[in-house]
Amino acid sequence: MLCLTLTGSDVQESLNQYRDHADAVQMVEVRADLLSCVDEQKIVQLVQTIDVPKILTCRRVRDGGRYKGSERSRLQILERLIPLGFSYVDLEDDVKRPELDALAHEHGLKIIRSFHDMEGVPGDLYTRIVKLHKRGDIPKAAVMVRSINDAIMLFKIEKELRDIPEKVIIGMGDYGIPVRILYKRTGSLFTFCSPTGTSAASGHLSPEIMHDLYHSDRVTPETRIYGIIGNPVMHTSSPKIHNPAFERIGLDAIYVPFLVNDVRNFFQLADLLSIQGFSVTVPHKQHVLPYLGKISREVKLIGSCNTVLRYNTLWKGVNTDFYGFLKPIQEELDGQRIRKAVVIGAGGAARAVVWALRNYYCKVVILNRTEATAQKLAQETGSSWGGLQEIDKITGADLIVQTTSAGMPPQEEINPIETYCFDGHEIVYDLVYKPKRTRFLQKAEAAGCKLVYGMDMLVAQGILQFESFTGSTFPDDLR
Ligand code: NAP
C-alpha cells in the first residue's frame, strides 16, 4: 500500500492534498506535528471525509518530525486524537505508556511501534525489529541509508524476518530511494509518499512518481527489476523512457534509479534482487568493466560500458551510446556523408562519439581543456588533437559535437568554445540534455546551423537499451 503523508498546515489543505492524490494512494498519515493547530473537531471532519485507513502520528524533531513541545504534551495530543476514528497510531519504541496502548486497542487502532535512526542503519536492526514485534505490534524501522551495503541490509529483511508478516521498512535519503520504490521487496506492508511539491521526510517521492511512473504497489516477487546506476543519479530521465514502455508492451518490469558509491556492492545487490539489466552513467562506465564476463566490440573499443545485461550466469556489457549518438545525425544527414568532425571534450562520452565517427571513416579533430587527454584518445583512434583554443583555426567542419559537461548545471553559463564563429553550414550537436538549448547550441542556432539535441541521443540510446533488456521493439507511439 502507498501511504500519503498529509503535509498541510491545516485540515483544509490536508483534505485538498488527499483529493488531489486519492486515486494513487491506499492510506493516509495524519501528522499532528505538521498541523499549526490541533483542533479535534476539524480532525474529526478530516478523518470522516477520508475513506481509506488513516495513521495518527505526532513526530518529534529528533525522529525527523516537527513537534517541539514537551513529551508529556505530545502524548496528551495523541491521547486526545486516538478516539477520533484512526486505524493505526504510530508510537515510538521508547514510549512506554500502557494506558496509551490500552486506549488505542479499546478504539480498534493497531499500534505501529517505530524507531528512527537519522544517522544510519544500526548493526542490530533485525533484533530491534524482532523485539518490537514481540510487544505485539507492527514494527516499523525508518533508517538513513548511506550506502549500497545499507540498502542490501534492508532488502535482506524480507527473507530474514519473513516470520513477521506485518512490518514497515523505510529507507531514508537518496540511497534509500530504491528501498522506497521497491518496498514490497523488503516485505514492508506499506511505504510513504508526500503530496507533490512537499516532502515530509528525506527521500519521500510524490504519488505521481511512486504510482504513475513506477507502479510500486504492483511489484511482486515475479516483477523483473532493471535500473540505472550512477552518482549522482536522481536527476536521470531514463525511468521515464523505460517504465512507460514496459507497461505499453505488457511486461511486468520496473526500472529504478540506484545511487551507487561502490560498484562491487551493487553487483551483490543485483544478485539479491535478481536485477536483469541496468544502465550505467557517470562515474561508473569504466568501474563496471572488471565485473563483466563478456563485452561487446563497442565496449572493447571505447573502454566504457553504459548497459549491463544478465547473460546466463555472467554479466554482459554493451555500449548503446555508440549507436545512440549516430542515430539522430543519420536522420539529419539524409544520405550525405560527414567528412570532417570536431569533437569538443575527451571524457567518457567523447570516447563513444569519436569511435562511432571513426567507425564511419570520418576525419576527427579532438579538442579538450586538458590537451593530454585529447592526445591520448586521438592516438588510440587515429584522430588529430589540440587544446580548446585551437577551435578558431578550424575550417570546413561538417559536424561539431560538444561532449563536455559544460552547459549543464552548475556550468550552464559556459560555452567551451565561446570564441568560435559558426559558418552556418555545420551540423551542431550537444550531448548535454538538460537544459535542452545550451548556450553553445543557442550560438549555433543564431548562425543558422542545424542542431541536434542531447535529448535525442539520450532517447536513442535508451531505446536501444530497452530493446537489449527486453528483446522487444520499443513502442512506436512512445518514441
Ligand atoms: P567526463 O568523463 O567526466 O568528461 C568530462 C569532459 O568535460 C572532459 O573532457 C572535461 O575536460 C570536460 N569539461 C568539464 N568541464 C569543462 C569546462 N568548464 N570547460 C571545458 N571542458 C570541460 O563526463 P562524460 O561522461 O564524458 O559526460 C559529459 C557530458 O555528456 C555530460 O554532460 C553528460 O550528461 C553528457 N552525456 C550525454 C549523453 C546523452 O545521451 N545525451 C550520453 C553520455 C553523456 P577535462 O578533461 O579538461 O577535465
Side-chain angles (χ1 to χ4, degrees), residues 203-257:
H204 266 208
L205 299 174
S206 70
E208 283 89 358
I209 304 268
M210 291 293 279
H211 178 267
D212 303 351
L213 179 62
Y214 291 110
H215 298 291
S216 303
D217 35 351
R218 282 200 219 149
V219 171
T220 68
E222 282 72 46
T223 303
R224 295 164 67 129
I225 302 177
Y226 297 90
I228 177 164
I229 67 167
N231 190 355
V233 76
M234 291 311 155
H235 65 285
T236 177
S237 307
S238 299
K240 293 182 188 149
I241 297 176
H242 293 276
N243 287 307
F246 289 147
E247 195 179 11
R248 185 59 52 86
I249 67 165
L251 187 71
D252 179 12
I254 182 168
Y255 181 99
V256 179

Side-chain angles (χ1 to χ4, degrees), residues 282 346-349 368-370 403-405 408 411 431 433 454 457-458:
V282 181
N368 193 41
R369 183 175 62 180
T370 308
T403 74
T404 79
S405 33
M408 69 182 251
Q411 302 198 74
L431 262 57
Y433 52 89
M457 171 172 170
L458 186 77

Side-chain angles (χ1 to χ4, degrees), residues 399-455:
L399 172 71
I400 301 186
V401 191
Q402 197 303 108
T403 74
T404 79
S405 33
M408 69 182 251
Q411 302 198 74
E412 58 267 58
E413 292 309 319
I414 300 180
N415 168 2
I417 54 165
E418 187 70 49
T419 55
Y420 182 68
C421 294
F422 295 95
D423 71 17
H425 297 111
E426 311 94 331
I427 297 178
V428 178
Y429 196 151
D430 197 335
L431 262 57
V432 169
Y433 52 89
K434 249 184 209 164
K436 181 178 176 186
R437 295 154 69 79
T438 55
R439 214 179 144 94
F440 165 78
L441 284 184
Q442 285 170 23
K443 201 165 172 205
E445 186 178 34
C449 301
K450 276 190 193 168
L451 306 187
V452 184
Y453 299 102
M455 187 50 85

Side-chain angles (χ1 to χ4, degrees), residues 141-445:
V143 292
M144 188 61 75
V145 183
R146 296 209 176 273
S147 65
I148 283 291
N149 263 348
D150 284 352
I152 288 176
M153 232 172 127
L154 297 186
F155 281 116
K156 278 189 175 165
I157 289 179
E158 196 278 325
K159 196 163 162 217
E160 300 289 334
L161 301 180
R162 202 168 275 172
D163 292 347
I164 304 178
E166 290 198 320
K167 55 190 169 291
V168 180
I169 309 298
I170 305 296
M172 292 186 280
D174 280 356
Y175 282 103
I177 287 202
V179 179
R180 289 189 187 275
I181 297 172
L182 297 169
Y183 70 98
K184 290 199 165 181
R185 288 294 177 96
T186 65
S188 186
L189 201 55
F190 52 81
T191 197
F192 296 89
C193 53
S194 288
T196 311
T198 72
S199 183
S202 164
H204 266 208
L205 299 174
S206 70
E208 283 89 358
I209 304 268
M210 291 293 279
H211 178 267
D212 303 351
L213 179 62
Y214 291 110
H215 298 291
S216 303
D217 35 351
R218 282 200 219 149
V219 171
T220 68
E222 282 72 46
T223 303
R224 295 164 67 129
I225 302 177
Y226 297 90
I228 177 164
I229 67 167
N231 190 355
V233 76
M234 291 311 155
H235 65 285
T236 177
S237 307
S238 299
K240 293 182 188 149
I241 297 176
H242 293 276
N243 287 307
F246 289 147
E247 195 179 11
R248 185 59 52 86
I249 67 165
L251 187 71
D252 179 12
I254 182 168
Y255 181 99
V256 179
F258 292 90
L259 179 62
V260 168
N261 54 338
D262 179 329
V263 163
R264 189 174 51 155
N265 292 341
F266 177 75
F267 277 95
Q268 283 177 19
L269 179 63
D271 282 336
L272 180 69
L273 294 176
S274 294
I275 289 176
Q276 297 299 305
F278 55 93
S279 317
V280 185
T281 186
V282 181
H284 297 314
K285 287 183 183 181
Q286 271 110 35
H287 300 163
V288 294
L289 296 178
Y291 303 94
L292 306 177
K294 197 171 162 58
I295 54 172
S296 69
R297 171 180 163 266
E298 292 77 27
V299 171
K300 203 168 172 188
L301 280 179
I302 301 166
S304 85
C305 164
N306 80 333
T307 311
V308 176
L309 310 162
R310 246 181 218 284
Y311 185 80
N312 300 325
T313 55
L314 304 172
W315 290 104
K316 179 180 174 185
V318 302
N319 197 315
T320 65
D321 281 341
F322 186 96
Y323 295 108
F325 161 70
L326 290 172
K327 186 94 202 325
I329 4 180
Q330 280 159 346
E331 283 160 12
E332 280 301 325
L333 277 175
D334 202 18
Q336 281 174 290
R337 253 200 84 207
I338 293 175
R339 286 183 192 77
K340 181 172 173 184
V342 180
V343 174
I344 312 297
R351 295 187 65 81
V353 167
V354 173
W355 275 111
L357 291 167
R358 294 295 293 137
N359 203 42
Y360 283 88
Y361 307 107
C362 173
K363 258 174 85 178
V364 177
V365 183
I366 306 166
L367 305 180
N368 193 41
R369 183 175 62 180
T370 308
E371 219 168 303
T373 326
Q375 179 179 8
K376 185 170 176 290
L377 179 57
Q379 284 170 342
E380 279 175 47
T381 55
S383 313
S384 315
W385 77 89
L388 292 176
Q389 69 288 352
E390 301 290 316
I391 190 72
D392 295 323
K393 298 185 193 149
I394 296 285
T395 52
D398 309 304
L399 172 71
I400 301 186
V401 191
Q402 197 303 108
T403 74
T404 79
S405 33
M408 69 182 251
Q411 302 198 74
E412 58 267 58
E413 292 309 319
I414 300 180
N415 168 2
I417 54 165
E418 187 70 49
T419 55
Y420 182 68
C421 294
F422 295 95
D423 71 17
H425 297 111
E426 311 94 331
I427 297 178
V428 178
Y429 196 151
D430 197 335
L431 262 57
V432 169
Y433 52 89
K434 249 184 209 164
K436 181 178 176 186
R437 295 154 69 79
T438 55
R439 214 179 144 94
F440 165 78
L441 284 184
Q442 285 170 23
K443 201 165 172 205
E445 186 178 34

